[in-house]
């Protein structure tokens, strides 16, 4: 095992160099020989969280381990371009949820672009292009006439038309990363450009096209994190939900009114705030979840029920640690992470506000 590069992962009140190294090493310890990164050994792997952990490894300079994670995706992609929603302990032969979720599938493009920016490896990008292309084509087959994207395809092939705002916001970011890959390869994808423009318009102007999940903090901040809302609209949205979801000194609620703060949502909100140019508030959020860190492993508990002072569930997940490391990396100026989540240089797709 190499020694992770942690200069940009040191953040006052959040991580010391020693703590950052421990967290990265803990993710590496969970990764299987074949590259799979389950939530923790004995739990399941889902493709979205697998990619989140791989990006954290790249942010720490663990490029070989991250590439193994992406190779796992390439080897086990379904013929239709998808991956299943859950694999027991990352075992591709032991599928525990045979549904195929669009935001899970799309997120591969974010990870592949992040890895390319971190390594400059054109051979890797060429090798992963068919995987990304097939994944995007699968996702866009579930796009509805209004621009929103159905959240899931069942095992029997039934496409679910219902759309989730959080999932679609994540897909919005992924499509832009896929377009960046296509541009790098000089392979224009005008249909993808139109699709991302339609999706952004739905997120901007048509909340009625999504299932009502306003109780969930992810529906609050994800349109901003995914790059669909920026500027004044983004700031207004975050301010509007701040008091509902943020528990000062403890983190971010997963869902209101439950007295439960979660590490993943807190780290993602911090990354959202950083993308908005509010690094001071991002730092405060990250500092507020120090209580979720397990000093023995360097990983983070999923959540904390603050009314009872109880850690729940009792699980230390690679994706929670990964989301925190990515937020810290952005605040620390790690260029690939800043480029992927800052979005300044990502294609925006074709504008459709006037015609949908």
């Amino acid at each position: 095992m190499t020694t992770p590069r942690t200069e940009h992962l040191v953040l006052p009140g959040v991580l010391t160099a020693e703590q950052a190294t421990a967290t990265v090493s803990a993710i590496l310890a969970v990764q299987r020989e074949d590259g799979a990164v389950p939530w923790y050994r004995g739990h399941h792997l889902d493709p979205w969280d697998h990619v989140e952990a791989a990006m954290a490894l790249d942010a720490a300079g663990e490029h070989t381990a991250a590439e193994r994670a992406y190779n796992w995706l390439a080897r086990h992609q379904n013929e239709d371009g998808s991956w299943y929603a859950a694999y027991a302990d990352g075992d591709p032969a032991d599928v525990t949820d045979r549904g195929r979720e669009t935001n899970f599938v799309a997120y591969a493009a974010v990870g592949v672009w992040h890895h390319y920016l971190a390594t400059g490896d054109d051979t890797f990008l060429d090798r992963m292009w068919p995987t990304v292309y097939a994944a995007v084509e699968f996702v866009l087959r579930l796009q509805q006439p209004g621009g929103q994207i159905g959240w899931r395809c069942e095992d029997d092939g039934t496409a679910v038309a219902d759309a989730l705002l959080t999932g679609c916001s994540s897909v919005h970011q992924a499509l832009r990363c896929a377009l960046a890959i296509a541009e790098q390869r000089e392979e224009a994808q005008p249909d993808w450009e139109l699709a991302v423009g339609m999706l952004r318009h739905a997120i901007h102007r048509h909340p009625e096209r999504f299932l009502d999940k306003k109780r969930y903090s992810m529906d609050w901040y994800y349109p901003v994190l995914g790059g669909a809302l920026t500027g004044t609209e983004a700031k207004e949205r975050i301010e509007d939900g701040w008091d509902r979801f943020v528990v000062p000194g403890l983190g971010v609620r997963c869902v209101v009114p439950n007295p439960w703060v979660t590490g993943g949502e807190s780290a993602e909100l911090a990354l959202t705030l950083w993308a908005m140019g509010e690094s001071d508030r991002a730092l405060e959020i990250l500092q507020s979840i120090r209580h979720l860190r397990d000093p023995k492993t360097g990983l983070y508990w999923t959540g904390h029920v603050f009314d009872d002072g109880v850690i729940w569930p009792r699980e230390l997940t690679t994706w929670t640690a990964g989301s925190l490391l990515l937020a810290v990396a952005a605040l620390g100026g790690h260029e690939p992470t800043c480029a992927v989540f800052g979005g300044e240089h990502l294609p925006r797709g074709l504008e459709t506000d006037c015609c949908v």
Side-chain angles (χ1 to χ4, degrees):
M1 185 181 295
T2 60
T3 301
R5 294 174 52 194
T6 57
E7 317 86 66
H8 52 278
L9 298 178
V10 175
L11 198 58
V14 181
L15 287 178
T16 64
E18 182 180 9
Q19 289 172 333
T21 298
T23 298
V24 175
S25 297
I27 295 174
L28 288 169
V30 173
Q31 187 177 34
R32 289 165 43 117
E33 289 286 333
D34 63 1
V37 187
W39 284 23
Y40 53 86
R41 294 311 303 267
H43 206 281
H44 75 269
L45 173 152
D46 72 70
W48 198 101
D49 291 314
H50 170 83
V51 170
E52 188 84 342
M55 286 197 290
L57 294 177
D58 265 326
E62 293 289 343
H63 304 312
T64 299
E67 184 170 352
R68 288 171 50 224
Y70 296 119
N71 288 342
W72 187 94
L73 289 175
R75 288 196 306 273
H76 302 299
Q77 189 173 31
N78 295 321
E79 290 186 4
D80 64 1
S82 71
W83 292 275
Y84 294 119
Y87 302 80
D89 199 35
D91 183 352
D94 191 357
V95 178
T96 55
D97 184 345
R98 301 187 72 87
R100 289 152 285 163
E101 299 188 15
T102 48
N103 70 303
F104 283 11
V105 174
Y107 206 52
V110 181
V112 167
W113 183 237
H114 184 259
H115 183 79
Y116 173 72
L117 293 176
T119 63
D121 187 346
D122 289 304
T123 300
F124 167 81
L125 203 65
D126 291 344
R127 189 172 69 251
M128 290 299 298
W129 170 245
T131 300
V132 171
Y133 183 89
V136 171
E137 290 294 302
F138 168 82
V139 170
L140 293 185
R141 285 196 290 274
L142 274 75
Q143 188 165 36
Q144 305 302 304
Q148 73 276 22
I149 293 174
W151 79 278
R152 180 178 167 102
C153 185
E154 302 294 0
D155 185 36
D156 64 2
T158 301
V160 178
D162 291 337
L164 300 171
L165 181 59
T166 294
C168 282
S169 298
S170 178
V171 171
H172 178 269
Q173 181 195 24
L175 291 177
R176 294 173 69 198
C177 289
L179 282 169
I181 295 169
E183 285 189 5
Q184 181 64 28
R185 291 178 46 80
E186 299 182 349
E187 298 203 26
Q189 301 295 327
D191 290 346
W192 296 4
E193 293 178 2
L194 180 60
V196 74
M198 291 176 60
L199 177 58
R200 185 172 65 254
H201 176 80
I203 294 170
H204 266 259
R205 303 287 179 246
H206 292 283
E208 76 281 0
R209 294 178 183 173
F210 302 92
L211 294 176
D212 185 357
K213 301 288 183 179
K214 293 183 180 66
R215 295 173 60 233
Y216 292 85
S217 60
M218 288 192 294
D219 259 31
W220 165 50
Y221 63 76
Y222 242 97
V224 181
L225 180 58
L229 297 183
T230 58
T232 301
E233 286 183 301
K235 291 182 182 295
E236 289 177 351
R237 185 178 186 88
I238 295 304
E239 292 305 323
D240 182 61
W242 189 268
D243 292 336
R244 292 181 68 221
F245 293 111
V246 177
V247 182
L250 291 177
V252 177
R253 294 177 192 259
C254 177
V255 57
V256 294
N258 297 1
W260 182 44
V261 294
T262 48
E265 278 81 353
S266 299
E268 287 183 335
L269 176 61
L271 191 53
T272 303
L273 293 166
W274 168 83
M276 294 167 55
E278 298 191 17
S279 294
D280 289 345
R281 283 213 288 184
L283 176 59
E284 289 175 4
I285 293 293
L286 292 177
Q287 290 173 335
S288 74
I289 57 171
R290 287 175 292 183
H291 63 104
L292 293 178
R293 182 179 178 84
D294 175 44
K296 294 181 180 179
T297 63
L299 293 171
Y300 288 77
W301 298 106
T302 298
H304 172 76
V305 182
F306 54 84
D307 273 7
D308 299 326
V310 174
I311 293 293
W312 183 84
R314 299 290 298 184
E315 57 185 30
L316 295 161
T317 50
T318 52
W319 55 267
T320 301
S323 64
L324 179 125
L325 288 172
L326 288 170
V328 173
L331 282 164
H334 182 246
E335 290 185 6
T337 302
C338 292
V340 165
F341 291 100
E344 296 89 347
H345 304 297
L346 289 178
R348 292 195 62 81
L350 299 179
E351 298 296 337
T352 61
D353 281 3
C354 63
C355 59
V356 178

